[in-house]
Amino acid sequence: MNDVRVRYAPSPTGHLHLGSLRTALYNWLFARHHLGVFLVRIEDTDLERSKPEYTQSILETLQWASMEPDEPVIIQSERIEIHRKIAHQLLTEGKVYRCFCTPAELRERLGESASQEGSYTRYDGKCRDKDVTNFDEKPFALRFRLQEDRQSILFNDLIRGPVQFERDQLDDFIIVRSDGTPMYNFVVVVDDAFMNISHVLRGEDHISNTPKQILLYEACGYAVPQFAHFSMILGPDGQRLSKRHGATSVLEYKQEGFLPDALCNYLVRLGWSHGDQELFTRQELFNYFDLGAMSKKGAIFDPKKLEWVNGMYIRNLSPEVILDTIERDMNHTWRTVFSKWSLSTLLKGISLYKERAKTLKELSDDLKSLHETPVKFPENPNFIDTSSVLNSLQAVEDLLERLDTFSYEFIDKTLKEFCHEAALSLSQLMQPLRIALTGKISSPGVASIIEVLGREESAYRIRLFRDYLKKKGRNEALTNN
Ligand code: GLU
């Protein structure tokens, strides 16, 4: 395919949400696959709803996901004069006409919904052939003049195949409002043509705009691009994914410790597949991604699978990169929380916990909890026989203090030998030790936890737990008597 130029065109009316990120991703991958150009245009002509801080946040999110445009970002509102000029040209050519109908008149003539934007009430053409040589400066909108002989509009959607709209689904739609602001369908066409867009790839919520845009391309004398409309992302109830279904803003995922590559890997599969492969490197996506394998059906968002993908990506990162990512995305001063640990201890801790974390937030919470000496222990620990537990805990405490080399291998070997000599099963020793060291019934391997905590802190925690058990035993004895 020659000269692929695609654009991602968000409206800055909120932070980027998952659906928009997927649209950006599909455009970006399509451009990379075809060695084309990926562009970004900020559609901020809705002045009431657009906010500069959202533009900023959208661009930052794209940067976070490494989907930066290949040419400078286009800001639609900066092109308003060009939009006006072209609207005027269409007026001069008779392709659009002035409409003086006020919303009140439209409502009266055509019914309540007639004055509402996006309503399907068709305009009756009252102003179509009005003599407008003298219009007394009354405000007017500009309406597209749908040709009499235009019976239908057909386009070949690259995902859906032929899509046809009949004449009775269209009317003389407004291209510039009576307050002078141009409408979305018009500016999109002018800007896509200006940016030489070859393929318009967007969500299926825009299908009904496409016939109007094709009419405008033709009226302006521009080449019509190809179109493809992706299916929507759905919530578990089959409805379009929205805030009702929980977090949808990409920023929230960032703060929860989802990695951009993992999020994109998860999103790419919501509507596209390559056999049953689930995990892809970016290079693989560049190689494989194309529109042929896109699904026409909406895909259901599955947070559990997203967590699984994220966990797989976390495991692939080095502890150094994880540390940097947490500080970049979640907490700039994260490492300072671990005041009792050196940097190399913190990195060891990250290595341990990255194997089980689904998000960086979970990893961070687990490590913070490990860093604090436990003050509470599970009510019903999964071990019994307190007196022998007390003895073995005491023995391990002594062993640790005497250990020559304080390394994982050595600690592990010593604990195993001790079990053997004391005729204990591994879990008979490890479970109480784990609870003593972490305050939890599940954790990474006990020997590696001891290595991270160090000799003194480990011994101290074991001692505290022994005291706790002794006190508990005394209390129980009192209650039983
Ligand atoms: N600004 C539109 C939106 O955010 C996108 C329009 C388009 O891709 O044509 O939905």
Side-chain angles (χ1 to χ4, degrees):
M1 214 177 287
N2 283 336
D3 297 336
V4 163
R5 287 176 64 87
V6 290
R7 82 322 191 255
Y8 166 57
S11 307
T13 52
H15 297 295
L16 206 70
H17 56 78
L18 292 179
S20 310
L21 184 66
R22 191 191 60 157
T23 299
L25 176 69
Y26 284 166
N27 275 280
W28 183 67
L29 291 176
F30 185 77
R32 290 292 166 270
H33 179 76
H34 292 285
L35 304 179
V37 174
F38 168 70
L39 303 171
V40 172
R41 179 175 70 233
I42 299 292
E43 305 214 312
D44 59 344
T45 44
D46 181 344
L47 295 175
E48 262 165 45
R49 291 175 60 228
S50 300
K51 298 220 163 67
E53 58 265 36
Y54 291 136
T55 297
Q56 179 76 9
S57 143
I58 290 171
L59 295 177
E60 278 172 15
T61 307
L62 288 178
Q63 193 178 32
W64 176 71
S66 312
M67 280 187 253
E68 287 182 79
D70 298 318
E71 291 174 15
V73 174
I74 301 274
I75 307 289
Q76 195 158 56
S77 60
E78 290 173 3
R79 294 179 33 79
I80 187 98
E81 284 315 314
I82 296 169
H83 303 142
R84 292 213 171 107
K85 202 174 122 216
I86 292 172
H88 187 76
Q89 195 178 313
L90 291 176
L91 181 63
T92 322
E93 292 168 2
K95 291 173 177 163
V96 304
Y97 61 88
R98 293 182 180 90
C99 172
F100 298 92
C101 301
T102 62
E105 284 164 8
L106 288 174
R107 276 199 297 276
E108 196 182 316
R109 261 195 352 259
L110 305 172
E112 246 339 279
S113 63
S115 63
Q116 287 162 16
E117 251 174 45
S119 112
Y120 290 106
T121 311
R122 300 179 68 226
Y123 180 62
D124 57 3
K126 182 160 189 270
C127 295
R128 219 171 197 252
D129 299 309
K130 216 177 199 158
D131 174 11
V132 286
T133 38
N134 179 7
F135 49 88
D136 290 344
E137 316 238 321
K138 252 179 86 181
F140 57 85
L142 292 181
R143 282 190 186 267
F144 184 79
R145 191 187 297 276
L146 184 63
Q147 299 97 316
E148 304 287 353
D149 56 353
R150 190 73 196 231
Q151 290 315 318
S152 64
I153 290 160
L154 174 71
F155 68 93
N156 185 38
D157 189 292
L158 295 175
I159 296 171
R160 280 147 214 280
V163 180
Q164 182 154 331
F165 285 83
E166 302 304 329
R167 185 185 173 86
D168 63 7
Q169 292 173 279
L170 295 159
D171 70 347
D172 286 358
F173 55 92
I174 293 179
I175 70 156
V176 179
R177 296 184 190 88
S178 56
D179 65 3
T181 53
M183 298 280 284
Y184 156 74
N185 279 312
F186 173 59
V187 287
V188 131
V189 166
V190 172
D191 292 348
D192 280 345
F194 166 76
M195 291 160 77
N196 271 320
I197 297 304
S198 62
H199 295 75
V200 172
L201 317 178
R202 58 190 174 192
E204 69 183 340
D205 48 337
H206 284 291
I207 288 193
S208 60
N209 289 318
T210 307
K212 296 181 190 171
Q213 294 177 10
I214 292 175
L215 288 169
L216 284 165
Y217 277 105
E218 291 171 357
C220 295
Y222 303 143
V224 182
Q226 307 234 55
F227 291 95
H229 294 90
F230 316 127
S231 52
M232 292 284 132
I233 304 181
L234 308 175
D237 55 359
Q239 301 298 309
R240 196 174 155 179
L241 188 70
S242 71
K243 285 211 182 82
R244 280 181 302 120
H245 299 108
T248 56
S249 152
V250 178
L251 286 181
E252 287 172 64
Y253 284 92
K254 177 178 168 189
Q255 279 145 15
E256 281 295 310
F258 285 86
L259 301 165
D261 283 359
L263 195 55
C264 289
N265 190 142
Y266 173 71
L267 287 177
V268 78
R269 287 281 288 102
L270 280 181
W272 174 83
S273 57
H274 181 73
D276 49 16
Q277 186 168 343
E278 291 291 357
L279 301 174
F280 299 87
T281 62
R282 289 230 157 170
Q283 193 54 53
E284 281 177 318
L285 289 177
F286 296 166
N287 295 345
Y288 303 152
F289 184 83
D290 212 352
L291 301 178
M294 304 280 316
S295 158
K296 291 184 200 142
K297 283 196 302 211
I300 308 238
F301 181 71
D302 176 358
K304 288 269 166 281
K305 186 167 164 199
L306 170 57
E307 285 182 351
W308 173 77
V309 173
N310 200 49
M312 298 304 277
Y313 272 79
I314 289 177
R315 278 183 242 340
N316 267 334
L317 296 182
S318 69
E320 288 80 2
V321 171
I322 292 182
L323 173 62
D324 287 348
T325 309
I326 293 178
E327 294 198 333
R328 182 195 67 191
D329 290 352
M330 296 164 63
N331 176 356
H332 296 316
T333 56
W334 186 69
R335 72 184 72 189
T336 59
V337 172
F338 303 91
S339 54
K340 294 192 251 174
W341 293 349
S342 67
L343 180 59
S344 75
T345 303
L346 176 57
L347 291 172
K348 255 186 216 156
I350 296 177
S351 289
L352 276 189
Y353 278 88
K354 84 184 174 97
E355 296 307 320
R356 46 175 38 224
K358 295 186 285 294
T359 63
L360 297 180
K361 166 98 169 30
E362 187 185 330
L363 181 141
S364 163
D365 290 347
D366 281 346
L367 275 177
K368 282 183 193 163
S369 143
L370 180 68
H371 180 259
E372 296 310 314
T373 309
V375 283
K376 273 210 216 121
F377 302 98
E379 279 294 323
N380 297 306
N382 45 356
F383 62 86
I384 42 171
D385 195 352
T386 308
S387 65
S388 86
V389 165
L390 276 174
N391 292 340
S392 32
L393 287 176
Q394 166 86 66
V396 172
E397 195 186 315
D398 297 342
L399 276 176
L400 289 181
E401 273 163 16
R402 288 200 310 270
L403 219 57
D404 297 335
T405 319
F406 205 78
S407 70
Y408 165 78
E409 286 76 21
F410 220 73
I411 300 165
D412 191 50
K413 190 165 148 270
T414 310
L415 291 179
K416 282 182 182 149
E417 276 169 11
F418 174 78
C419 278
H420 184 71
E421 279 160 25
L424 290 172
S425 74
L426 218 50
S427 69
Q428 276 174 315
L429 178 69
M430 296 307 175
Q431 269 315 73
L433 258 182
R434 182 189 312 284
I435 293 174
L437 297 165
T438 66
K440 297 203 167 110
I441 54 172
S442 116
S443 78
V446 168
S448 31
I449 293 281
I450 293 178
E451 191 197 11
V452 169
L453 293 178
R455 194 191 300 265
E456 273 167 38
E457 176 71 13
S458 299
Y460 174 58
R461 288 187 186 193
I462 295 172
R463 201 171 322 130
L464 283 185
F465 187 53
R466 285 199 295 112
D467 291 346
Y468 163 83
L469 287 180
K470 278 191 224 154
K471 199 162 139 207
K472 192 163 157 259
R474 275 200 303 277
N475 286 345
E476 276 166 9
L478 280 176
T479 333
N480 290 343
N481 287 336

